[in-house]
C-alpha cells in the first residue's frame, strides 16, 4: 500500500464509547479533504422508562452520511444486537457493501424476513475466520476470538499508516462450547510485526482475574438441573448459542427434555442449526407437548432474562401463556447478567415468581453464567501478545474506559488515548491526538418511524407521563363573548385537589376567568385568547395540585376553530 501525501489514519466512535451498547466505529484514511472510511459494527441500545414507547435506540450517523462519497464498506464483528442490531434501519441511509460471517448473515436474513419495512436486500459478502479481505485502503484480517456467540471476530485493520487491532467483544476461554479459542498465535504474529494501536473491549476492566470457562458454566447448570425437584426454566440471552448448547446438554445428561420459548431464541436456534452448531443435541419438544411431559423431566429455555415485559419469562410469571405454565416447586435459573437499567424490571419478575412458590437461582447461587468479556488478567495477556504503540479503551462507560486506560499505562503501553463518542482521534502520523469533534448522538425507532427525540415526540411523552395533559376549547360568539361553558378534557390529571375540589371545575373556572380578563376588543386576536386560556388552565392545575400538565387550547368563533 502506498502512503498518500498528507494522509492520516483516524478513529471516530459514534457509539459505544462512554456507554454500554450501540457500538458504531469509523476508521478513516487519507488526506483530511479526501478520507476513505469504513464502519465497524452498527449496534443498538435499548430504551428504559425515560423513553416511553421507544422500540430501539440507534446511533446518530449524520457525520458519515455527510461523507458517503468516501464510505467504502461496513464490517460486522459479530451478531449481538449492540454490534449489528441497527443495520437494517441504518443501512438504507448508508447503502454501503457489508461484510459479515455466515452466522451473522444468517441471523440478519432471518431478522429481515420477519421485520416489516426492512430493506429487501443488503449486499453482504461473507468472510470467515483467518481470511483477509480489502475494503477501500484497508486490508482486514478476521482473527477468531472466544465470546458468547458463534463466529465473533477481532479485526486486524492495516493501512499504509500501520495496523490497528480492533478487538470487538472477546475473552480468553480455554474450553469454549462453540467455536475456536482466541487465536493467540495470530495476535502474537501481529505484535511481532508491529501494531500501531489496540482498540480494546473495556467491559470487564474493573474485574480482576480471568473469566471462568463456558464448560464450567455447563457443569454448574448440570448440577442445578439434576438437583431440581420440578421443572427447570433457564433464561439467557437469545444470541448465546454456546449457553443454549450448554443448557441442552445439561438437560440431556439429567434425563430431561427441552422446550424453547421465545421468538428470538427460536430464530437463533434455526440459524445455528442450519450451520451445524446444534448437531448432536436431542430435538426440542413443541409447546403443545408440554402437558404430556412429567415436571421432573422438563427443562424450558426461554427469553426474558432482562425483564422484557412481552418476553416468555415475564408471561410465565404472570401465567399468561396458552400452553405452558410454572407452578410451586419449579425452579427458574437466570443464566445471564443484568444489563444496567433493567434491574427493576427483573426484580419485579423475580418477585412474581417467588409469590408463585418458584425457586430462583442466579449467578451468586451457582456458576450458571459467565461473561463473554475479558477481565484484567486477560487484558494484560492481550497487551503482551500485541504490544501496541497506542492503547484505546472502548466498549464501556467512563469507569470501564478509565480503568482499562490505567491498566494499559501500567502494563507498558506508551500512549493511551481516552476518547468518547464524537471524538476524532488521529492515530498516525505523530502521537495519538484528538483533532476534531463530529456530530453524534441518539436517534429513536418508534414503530415504523425513526428520528430524534423531538421529532418522535419523546420529550412530550416524558412530560405527559409526569403531569398529564389538558385540552380546552373556548367558543366565542359574534360579540366575542363566551357562547357557553368551555369544553375541557383532562388525561392523567388528578380528579380533585387536597380540599376535595373537582380539578376540572377549577380549570374550567380558570379558562373562563382568562377570557373575561381580556378586553373585548383584544379578544379579536384569537391567538391571544388561546394562549391566555392555555396558560390559565395549566396555572390552575399547578396551583391546586403542584404539577403543571401539558396544555392545548382551542378557540372557536363563527364556525372557525383556532
Amino acid at each position: 500500500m502506498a502512503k498518500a501525501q498528507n494522509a492520516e489514519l483516524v478513529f471516530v466512535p459514534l457509539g459505544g464509547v462512554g456507554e454500554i451498547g450501540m457500538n458504531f466505529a469509523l476508521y478513516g484514511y487519507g488526506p483530511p479533504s479526501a478520507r476513505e472510511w469504513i464502519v465497524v459494527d452498527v449496534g443498538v441500545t435499548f430504551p428504559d422508562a425515560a423513553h416511553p414507547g421507544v422500540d430501539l435506540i440507534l446511533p446518530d450517523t449524520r457525520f458519515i452520511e455527510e461523507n458517503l462519497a468516501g464510505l467504502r464498506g461496513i464490517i460486522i464483528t459479530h451478531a449481538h444486537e449492540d454490534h449489528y442490531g441497527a443495520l437494517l434501519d441504518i443501512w438504507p441511509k448508508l447503502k454501503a457493501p457489508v461484510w459479515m460471517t455466515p452466522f451473522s448473515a444468517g441471523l440478519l436474513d432471518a431478522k429481515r424476513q420477519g421485520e416489516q419495512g426492512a430493506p429487501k436486500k443488503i449486499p453482504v459478502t461473507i468472510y470467515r475466520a483467518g481470511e483477509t479481505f480489502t475494503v477501500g485502503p484497508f486490508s482486514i484480517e478476521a482473527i477468531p476470538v472466544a465470546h458468547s456467540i458463534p463466529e465473533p471476530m477481532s479485526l486486524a485493520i492495516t493501512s499504509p499508516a500501520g495496523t490497528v487491532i480492533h478487538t470487538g467483544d472477546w475473552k480468553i476461554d480455554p474450553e469454549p462450547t462453540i467455536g475456536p479459542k482466541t487465536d493467540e498465535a495470530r495476535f502474537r504474529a501481529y505484535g511481532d510485526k508491529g501494531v500501531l494501536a489496540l482498540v480494546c473491549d473495556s467491559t470487564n476492566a474493573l474485574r480482576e482475574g480471568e473469566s471462568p470457562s463456558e464448560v464450567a458454566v455447563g457443569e454448574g447448570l448440570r448440577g442445578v438441573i439434576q438437583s431440581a425437584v420440578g421443572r427447570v426454566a433457564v433464561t439467557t440471552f437469545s444470541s448465546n448459542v454456546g449457553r443454549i448448547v450448554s443448557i441442552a446438554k445439561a438437560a440431556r445428561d439429567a434425563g430431561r427434555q427441552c422446550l424453547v420459548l421465545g421468538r428470538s431464541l427460536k430464530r437463533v436456534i434455526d440459524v445455528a442449526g442450519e450451520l451445524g452448531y446444534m448437531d448432536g443435541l436431542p430435538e426440542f419438544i413443541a409447546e403443545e407437548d408440554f402437558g404430556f411431559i412429567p415436571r421432573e423431566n422438563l427443562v424450558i429455555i426461554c427469553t426474558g432474562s432482562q425483564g422484557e415485559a412481552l418476553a416468555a419469562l415475564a408471561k410465565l410469571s404472570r401465567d399468561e401463556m396458552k400452553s405452558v405454565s410454572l407452578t410451586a416447586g419449579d425452579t427458574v435459573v437466570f443464566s445471564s447478567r443484568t444489563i444496567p437499567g433493567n434491574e427493576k424490571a427483573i426484580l419485579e419478575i423475580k418477585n412474581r415468581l417467588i409469590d408463585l412458590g418458584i425457586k430462583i437461582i442466579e449467578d451468586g447461587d451457582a456458576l450458571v453464567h459467565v461473561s463473554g468479556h475479558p477481565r484484567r488478567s486477560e487484558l494484560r495477556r492481550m497487551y503482551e501478545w500485541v504490544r501496541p504503540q497506542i492503547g484505546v479503551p472502548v466498549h464501556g462507560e467512563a469507569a470501564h474506559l478509565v480503568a482499562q486506560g490505567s491498566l494499559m499505562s501500567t502494563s507498558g503501553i506508551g500512549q493511551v488515548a481516552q476518547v468518547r463518542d464524537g471524538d476524532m482521534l488521529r492515530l498516525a502520523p505523530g502521537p495519538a491526538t484528538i483533532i476534531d469533534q463530529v456530530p453524534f448522538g441518539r436517534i429513536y425507532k418508534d414503530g415504523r418511524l425513526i428520528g430524534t427525540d423531538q421529532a418522535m415526540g419523546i420529550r412530550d411523552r416524558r412530560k405527559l407521563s409526569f403531569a398529564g395533559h389538558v385540552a380546552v376549547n373556548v367558543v366565542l360568539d359574534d360579540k366575542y363573548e363566551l357562547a357557553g361553558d368551555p369544553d375541557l378534557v383532562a388525561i392523567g390529571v388528578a380528579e380533585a385537589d387536597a380540599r376535595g375540589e373537582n380539578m376540572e371545575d377549577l380549570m374550567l373556572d380558570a379558562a373562563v376567568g382568562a377570557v373575561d380578563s381580556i378586553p373585548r376588543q383584544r379578544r379579536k386576536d384569537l391567538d391571544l385568547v388561546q394562549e391566555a386560556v392555555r396558560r390559565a388552565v395549566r396555572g390552575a392545575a399547578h396551583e391546586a395540585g403542584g404539577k403543571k400538565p401539558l396544555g392545548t387550547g382551542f378557540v372557536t368563533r363563527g364556525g372557525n376553530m383556532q
Side-chain angles (χ1 to χ4, degrees):
M1 295 182 182
K3 186 177 289 188
Q5 189 174 9
N6 300 322
E8 298 176 328
L9 176 63
V10 296
F11 169 67
V12 185
L14 298 184
V17 184
E19 62 191 339
I20 298 291
M22 206 175 74
N23 296 283
F24 190 106
L26 288 162
Y27 290 93
Y29 177 76
S33 60
R35 288 193 182 102
E36 295 180 83
W37 297 94
I38 57 170
V39 174
V40 177
D41 289 335
V42 184
V44 299
T45 191
F46 296 96
D48 55 22
H51 309 99
V54 172
D55 298 309
L56 290 173
I57 302 175
L58 318 173
D60 184 338
T61 57
R62 279 176 295 162
F63 172 72
I64 192 60
E65 289 172 42
E66 293 167 359
N67 292 277
L68 283 182
L71 180 58
R72 299 294 175 254
I74 301 167
I75 301 95
I76 302 298
T77 61
H78 65 286
H80 274 148
E81 289 293 325
D82 61 332
H83 287 261
Y84 100 123
L87 188 57
L88 288 177
D89 295 307
I90 287 180
W91 186 85
K93 299 180 182 181
L94 306 182
K95 288 188 167 62
V98 178
W99 279 259
M100 309 176 81
T101 66
F103 181 77
S104 297
L107 268 189
L108 181 72
D109 191 54
K111 189 176 182 182
R112 180 183 60 79
Q113 293 180 36
E115 190 167 312
Q116 193 170 12
K120 291 185 177 179
K121 187 164 180 63
I122 292 178
V124 172
T125 299
I126 299 296
Y127 74 87
R128 292 174 171 81
E131 294 183 350
T132 298
F133 51 97
T134 299
V135 186
F138 300 98
S139 174
I140 302 170
E141 180 181 342
I143 305 176
V145 291
H147 187 48
S148 54
I149 194 170
E151 304 169 2
M153 301 292 168
S154 288
L155 304 177
I157 304 170
T158 300
S159 71
T163 295
V164 176
I165 301 293
H166 183 102
T167 67
D169 289 359
W170 67 283
K171 64 178 286 187
I172 298 173
D173 190 338
E175 296 181 287
T177 303
I178 286 179
K181 301 175 184 178
T182 294
D183 194 341
E184 176 181 350
R186 288 308 297 156
F187 286 113
R188 284 190 178 277
Y190 273 101
D192 292 342
K193 287 192 292 185
V195 170
L196 174 66
L198 175 68
V199 178
C200 190
D201 178 0
S202 305
T203 308
N204 276 341
L206 293 166
R207 302 190 68 181
E208 288 291 351
E210 296 188 359
S211 300
S213 169
E214 184 64 36
V215 167
V217 174
E219 293 170 355
L221 288 166
R222 185 181 300 111
V224 169
I225 292 170
Q226 286 177 338
S227 63
V229 176
R231 306 177 190 92
V232 178
V234 185
T235 184
T236 190
F237 296 108
S238 61
S239 59
N240 194 339
V241 176
R243 187 65 45 78
I244 296 167
V245 170
S246 294
I247 298 165
K249 286 181 177 178
R252 178 196 63 195
D253 294 346
R256 294 179 180 239
Q257 293 177 280
C258 266
L259 166 65
V260 175
L261 296 178
R263 184 174 59 182
S264 60
L265 257 176
K266 292 176 180 177
R267 181 171 63 207
V268 168
I269 289 171
D270 285 344
V271 173
E274 290 173 5
L275 294 170
Y277 290 113
M278 310 301 289
D279 290 352
L281 295 176
E283 286 190 18
F284 298 115
I285 68 169
E287 289 183 37
E288 309 87 70
D289 296 330
F290 170 82
F292 301 102
I293 308 298
R295 293 175 62 197
E296 65 274 12
N297 291 343
L298 184 65
V299 169
I300 300 168
I301 308 174
C302 61
T303 56
S305 66
Q306 299 307 302
E308 302 95 322
L310 300 179
L313 184 62
K315 291 180 179 179
L316 286 171
S317 75
R318 298 190 298 263
D319 196 21
E320 291 179 354
M321 299 206 76
K322 182 179 179 181
S323 306
V324 182
S325 62
L326 297 175
T327 53
D330 291 343
T331 299
V332 169
V333 179
F334 282 81
S335 184
S336 57
R337 70 178 177 90
T338 299
I339 295 174
N342 295 338
E343 294 88 350
K344 184 178 179 182
I346 293 170
L347 184 60
E348 288 176 356
I349 289 175
K350 288 178 178 177
N351 282 328
R352 284 199 297 267
L353 292 169
I354 290 167
D355 279 341
L356 292 173
I358 292 166
K359 181 180 181 180
I360 303 294
I361 292 180
E362 47 196 335
D363 196 25
D365 304 311
L367 183 53
V368 294
H369 177 66
V370 66
S371 171
H373 302 270
R375 296 185 186 180
R376 292 170 72 86
S377 292
E378 295 162 89
L379 290 168
R380 290 187 187 99
R381 289 174 66 183
M382 178 63 78
Y383 306 157
E384 292 168 6
W385 298 346
V386 173
R387 305 182 297 283
Q389 299 174 39
I390 305 164
V392 185
V394 296
H395 200 295
E397 297 173 340
H400 308 104
L401 303 178
V402 170
Q404 182 171 194
S406 176
L407 186 64
M408 285 176 163
S409 294
T410 58
S411 299
I413 297 177
Q415 299 178 66
V416 175
Q418 284 288 351
V419 297
R420 299 294 184 269
D421 291 342
D423 289 341
M424 180 180 288
L425 176 69
R426 184 177 62 207
L427 296 170
T433 307
I434 295 173
I435 60 172
D436 201 358
Q437 299 280 330
V438 307
F440 73 99
R442 296 180 165 199
I443 57 175
Y444 301 85
K445 184 172 185 181
D446 183 26
R448 298 179 191 172
L449 304 177
I450 296 174
T452 64
D453 59 348
Q454 183 171 358
M456 295 295 98
I458 297 162
R459 295 179 187 178
D460 284 342
R461 289 183 203 171
R462 280 196 287 266
K463 295 176 185 175
L464 283 168
S465 68
F466 177 72
H469 179 265
V470 177
V472 60
N473 179 44
V474 171
V475 181
L476 301 180
D477 61 20
D478 291 342
K479 297 180 180 179
Y480 296 96
E481 297 284 358
L482 282 168
D485 289 336
D487 296 313
L488 186 143
V489 177
I491 299 174
V493 178
E495 293 181 358
D497 67 4
R499 299 169 299 174
E501 296 282 340
N502 184 279
M503 192 73 81
E504 288 194 7
D505 289 344
L506 294 172
M507 291 187 288
L508 282 170
D509 290 345
V512 172
V515 175
D516 289 343
S517 69
I518 302 172
R520 188 187 305 174
Q521 192 65 23
R522 296 193 64 197
R523 293 178 200 167
K524 294 179 180 180
D525 184 347
L526 300 186
D527 288 336
L528 173 72
V529 178
Q530 175 181 303
E531 182 61 14
V533 168
R534 188 188 72 85
R535 286 175 174 270
V537 167
R538 295 185 72 216
H542 183 258
E543 183 178 347
K547 288 191 174 180
K548 198 176 273 191
L550 290 177
T552 305
F554 302 95
V555 178
T556 307
R557 181 178 176 274
N560 296 319
M561 183 175 288
Q562 187 74 19

